[in-house]
Amino acid sequence: MKARFFDFIHYVTVLNSKKIGNIFLNYISYILSIIFKKSIHWGMPVSASIEATTNCNLQCVECPSGQRKFSRPTGSISIDNFIKYLDPISHYLTYLIIYFQGEPYLNKSFFEMVRYAKTKRIYTATSTNGHFLNDENAKKTIESKLDKLIISLDGTDQETYSSYRKNGNFDNVISGIKNLVEWKTKLKSTSPYIIIQFLVLKTNEHKITEIKQLAKDLQVDELQLKTAQIYDYKNDNSLIPSNGKYSRYFIGAEGKVVLKKKIKNRCLRLWQSLVITWDGDIVPCCFDKDAEYKMGNLNKEVFKKIWRNSSYKNFRKKVISNRTKIEICCNCSE
């Protein structure tokens, strides 16, 4: 509870009248859009993801980055471009995720990006596979004032962990988590809020009790049991867990695997957040991993023009009128 309280304080302290007003404008325009079935949009982004890199050291089974299956260009963002992409929206943002695809710690400018975002009074988070949290990087992570760190740990031993995290080393990740907790204590820091994220799969669902105990032993701030997105769930359900509580899918009529959650014609993400790829493309949300729905590119256009352009307007309108016709929405957990 103490860690959660400090995490809340870290978020609250980034707020000011401009950011609070922007949140209000976004939400009101979103509600009006649903009521009148048209794209009404006021305000600027409340949250954003900026991709540090598409590169990754692992080959996770359901990950386009790990499987090297991108159809879009791959690479890493430079610190200059990070600043260029962030600055136009920094006065409105309350939350920034320095992550989209890939392993962010592989970008040599990662800590510099975190520090820069913090100078803009933005709550800053990232997600990592935990293989680069050696003693030096663990200390740098704490010193950077990163607010939240999500560490993927989908097993309690090497066998279950590497069945999904191909090329992964379980002991390496455990060591990295210990380094973080140790430096956080040494430096008397209240950040980052450390989360172990356990992706529940058919191959590891029998380890849920053990991961709960391991998280306690490691003294992290939170354990999240996350349902997995399976790309080809209609034809291959081998990774879908038996326990329906931890599955996004169920077997419907005629034995077909379908989404448990009904897709509604609404999505707040399209009003208040966005994703910026390493090379400047703006896409509507994190489910567009291959950047198929490009709204514009920040190397060619200024942000405000993209945020208000016809592509964005039409996409938002489609979301509130017929969202099931948008491919990336058809396997969405929101």
Side-chain angles (χ1 to χ4, degrees):
M1 289 298 293
K2 184 178 179 181
R4 195 181 293 272
F5 170 76
F6 281 121
D7 184 51
F8 173 74
I9 295 299
H10 289 157
Y11 179 76
V12 170
T13 54
V14 308
L15 298 175
N16 56 32
S17 58
K18 178 181 282 189
K19 293 182 180 183
I20 293 171
N22 185 55
I23 293 171
F24 178 78
L25 282 175
N26 267 278
Y27 191 72
I28 290 299
S29 62
Y30 170 66
I31 296 299
L32 291 175
S33 295
I34 294 171
I35 293 172
F36 294 106
K37 300 297 181 184
K38 59 188 291 188
S39 178
I40 300 168
H41 190 261
W42 305 321
M44 295 286 279
V46 174
S47 63
S49 296
I50 298 182
E51 185 173 56
T53 183
T54 55
N55 299 322
C56 190
N57 55 305
L58 303 185
Q59 293 182 300
C60 302
V61 178
E62 285 289 313
C63 176
S65 178
Q67 292 297 307
R68 296 14 172 199
K69 289 184 177 179
F70 283 127
S71 60
R72 63 184 173 100
T74 58
S76 299
I77 195 171
S78 67
I79 185 61
D80 290 340
N81 277 344
F82 176 82
I83 293 170
K84 174 184 174 181
Y85 302 159
L86 178 62
D87 276 356
I89 55 176
S90 61
H91 298 298
Y92 299 92
L93 284 188
T94 65
Y95 197 106
L96 174 67
I97 306 169
I98 306 178
Y99 170 77
F100 177 31
Q101 297 297 296
E103 169 50 52
Y105 278 79
L106 285 174
N107 189 311
K108 294 179 180 180
S109 300
F110 172 70
F111 296 115
E112 193 174 353
M113 288 187 278
V114 175
R115 289 192 295 269
Y116 185 79
K118 294 305 297 176
T119 67
K120 299 294 182 177
R121 288 186 61 183
I122 304 171
Y123 182 100
T124 306
T126 196
S127 180
T128 176
N129 61 45
H131 283 74
F132 300 96
L133 298 172
N134 55 35
D135 191 67
E136 180 184 1
N137 281 346
K139 184 182 180 184
K140 285 182 178 179
T141 299
I142 308 302
E143 292 175 335
S144 73
K145 301 301 180 182
L146 182 74
D147 292 293
K148 181 181 289 183
L149 180 60
I150 300 170
I151 305 168
S152 297
L153 185 64
D154 313 314
T156 56
D157 53 41
Q158 180 63 28
E159 183 180 1
T160 52
Y161 175 75
S162 61
S163 64
Y164 180 76
R165 301 281 168 182
K166 300 296 184 183
N167 297 338
N169 186 302
F170 175 79
D171 290 336
N172 193 348
V173 180
I174 295 299
S175 176
I177 295 171
K178 289 179 177 178
N179 288 338
L180 273 173
V181 173
E182 183 178 348
W183 274 111
K184 188 175 175 181
T185 302
K186 280 183 180 179
L187 297 175
K188 299 179 181 179
S189 177
T190 55
S191 65
Y193 186 77
I194 303 171
I195 299 172
I196 285 179
Q197 182 175 274
F198 186 88
L199 197 62
V200 182
L201 305 160
K202 184 82 169 179
T203 54
N204 66 9
E205 61 182 322
H206 60 293
K207 295 288 188 177
I208 289 176
T209 300
E210 290 183 20
I211 193 64
K212 288 180 179 179
Q213 185 57 52
L214 181 58
K216 288 181 181 179
D217 294 342
L218 291 171
Q219 300 178 56
V220 296
D221 300 314
E222 185 180 341
L223 168 68
Q224 290 181 351
L225 300 177
K226 185 181 179 183
T227 59
Q229 179 186 16
I230 309 298
Y231 287 94
D232 192 20
Y233 65 87
K234 293 179 181 179
N235 299 310
D236 182 5
N237 55 25
S238 59
L239 286 175
I240 298 176
S242 302
N243 189 335
K245 179 181 178 181
Y246 301 110
S247 175
R248 298 184 187 183
Y249 316 91
F250 72 94
I251 299 176
E254 301 177 355
K256 292 182 178 179
V257 179
V258 295
L259 275 173
K260 287 198 310 188
K261 196 167 185 177
K262 184 180 178 181
I263 300 175
K264 296 180 180 179
N265 290 330
R266 59 189 65 185
C267 183
L268 183 57
R269 287 185 183 187
L270 268 295
W271 270 253
Q272 67 175 21
S273 66
L274 76 158
V275 174
I276 303 172
T277 65
W278 71 274
D279 54 349
D281 283 330
I282 290 182
V283 297
C285 85
C286 61
F287 279 84
D288 190 8
K289 295 177 172 62
D290 218 20
E292 295 179 24
Y293 298 87
K294 295 180 180 69
M295 300 294 123
N297 186 284
L298 290 170
N299 295 313
K300 300 174 183 178
E301 304 169 80
V302 297
F303 176 78
K304 284 188 177 181
K305 284 190 175 181
I306 298 173
W307 190 236
R308 301 278 185 234
N309 69 18
S310 58
S311 295
Y312 240 133
K313 185 177 181 179
N314 292 335
F315 194 89
R316 292 185 183 111
K317 186 176 181 180
K318 197 170 183 179
V319 163
I320 57 177
S321 60
N322 199 351
R323 191 173 165 216
T324 57
K325 295 298 182 180
I326 303 173
E327 186 179 354
I328 59 172
C329 297
C330 292
N331 196 0
C332 178
S333 59
E334 296 297 322

